[in-house]
Amino acid sequence: MLAFLLELQRLKRLDRTGWVLRGLAPGAESVAAHSYGVTLTAMLLADRLIARSVPINVEKVLRMALLHDLTETRLGDLPQTAAHYFGQGARHEAARRAFADIIASLDEARRNAYLALYDEYEERASLEARLVKAADVIDLLTQALVFERAGSRGLDEFWTATARDLSLEEEAAAVVNEVLQDLVRARKDELGDKPAD
């Protein structure tokens, strides 16, 4: 377990590359900070679904959210511009191998459970997995809004994420869309007539 915990420490120091590539100072956001934001966002989304009587496994949601960027301890935070050149197949295979290596020091039951959660998330094979992906997008946009409020520009491309098809079921789609629309409205109110770039 210690080898696993030591590896996790890298996420605290690993910058989110997308922000650095757009001119934000190193240290603007770490992968660990993003993962924490995704986990809290996923919890809040799951709570909203429960309030609407949608059955959802909150423990699974939280575990997936905590594990979703773990491969970045080995692969780094690969920006979309670089990922494009690797192709989805090669990128997913490398990430899965990295994930398996990272959890190798854990007992077999934990390895199997975590790998199953990782695969389920990567395949978006459940409502829980798709909700965590939605939380990933929401945390990204929330951080972009915070940076724009502080004066950063040139982050428009991140906002195209609102147009992504997250393949959510009816109630889940409604909950996620409410949050996304709140973010878009807040951004519009913040930027007013000023150009975003």
Side-chain angles (χ1 to χ4, degrees):
M1 187 167 138
L2 180 58
F4 179 79
L5 293 174
L6 289 171
E7 185 136 21
L8 291 180
Q9 297 305 305
R10 294 179 192 169
L11 293 181
K12 294 179 182 179
R13 297 181 311 277
L14 183 63
D15 286 327
R16 294 267 288 163
T17 308
W19 303 131
V20 176
L21 291 175
R22 278 137 196 103
L24 281 102
E29 182 186 33
S30 70
V31 173
H34 166 68
S35 293
Y36 180 72
V38 171
T39 303
L40 282 177
T41 302
M43 179 183 72
L44 292 169
L45 292 172
D47 287 345
R48 281 190 173 187
L49 290 179
I50 290 168
R52 293 182 181 203
S53 301
V54 175
I56 188 159
N57 183 332
V58 179
E59 180 181 348
K60 183 188 280 190
V61 166
L62 296 176
R63 286 175 180 270
M64 277 185 196
L66 287 169
L67 295 172
H68 89 283
D69 277 338
L70 187 60
T71 60
E72 294 183 16
T73 66
R74 298 280 175 102
L75 301 176
D77 183 28
L78 193 64
Q80 288 300 317
T81 51
H84 166 77
Y85 295 102
F86 289 99
Q88 285 297 95
R91 186 170 164 238
H92 283 297
E93 176 58 28
R96 191 175 195 284
R97 285 191 356 249
F99 189 87
D101 286 348
I102 292 164
I103 63 172
S105 68
L106 301 177
D107 65 85
E108 184 178 1
R110 287 304 91 214
R111 287 194 314 267
N112 292 339
Y114 294 166
L115 192 56
L117 286 170
Y118 176 82
D119 288 339
E120 187 175 328
Y121 173 73
E122 287 298 314
E123 296 165 12
R124 310 294 186 264
S126 64
L127 171 60
E128 289 82 2
R130 292 185 293 278
L131 196 68
V132 171
K133 183 57 188 174
D136 188 43
V137 171
I138 290 167
D139 183 70
L140 170 77
L141 294 178
T142 303
Q143 185 64 68
L145 179 62
V146 167
F147 288 147
E148 287 176 334
R149 284 181 170 174
S152 295
R153 295 295 175 257
L155 305 180
D156 283 348
E157 68 188 274
F158 293 106
W159 291 92
T160 62
T162 59
R164 287 185 189 157
D165 176 18
L166 297 168
S167 300
L168 290 165
E169 292 78 3
E170 199 170 298
E171 284 296 322
V175 165
V176 168
N177 286 332
E178 286 171 15
V179 177
L180 290 173
Q181 291 310 309
D182 286 347
L183 279 163
V184 169
R185 275 190 296 278
R187 183 180 192 235
K188 184 178 180 196
D189 291 346
E190 182 66 32
L191 294 177
D193 293 330
K194 296 180 279 187
D197 283 325

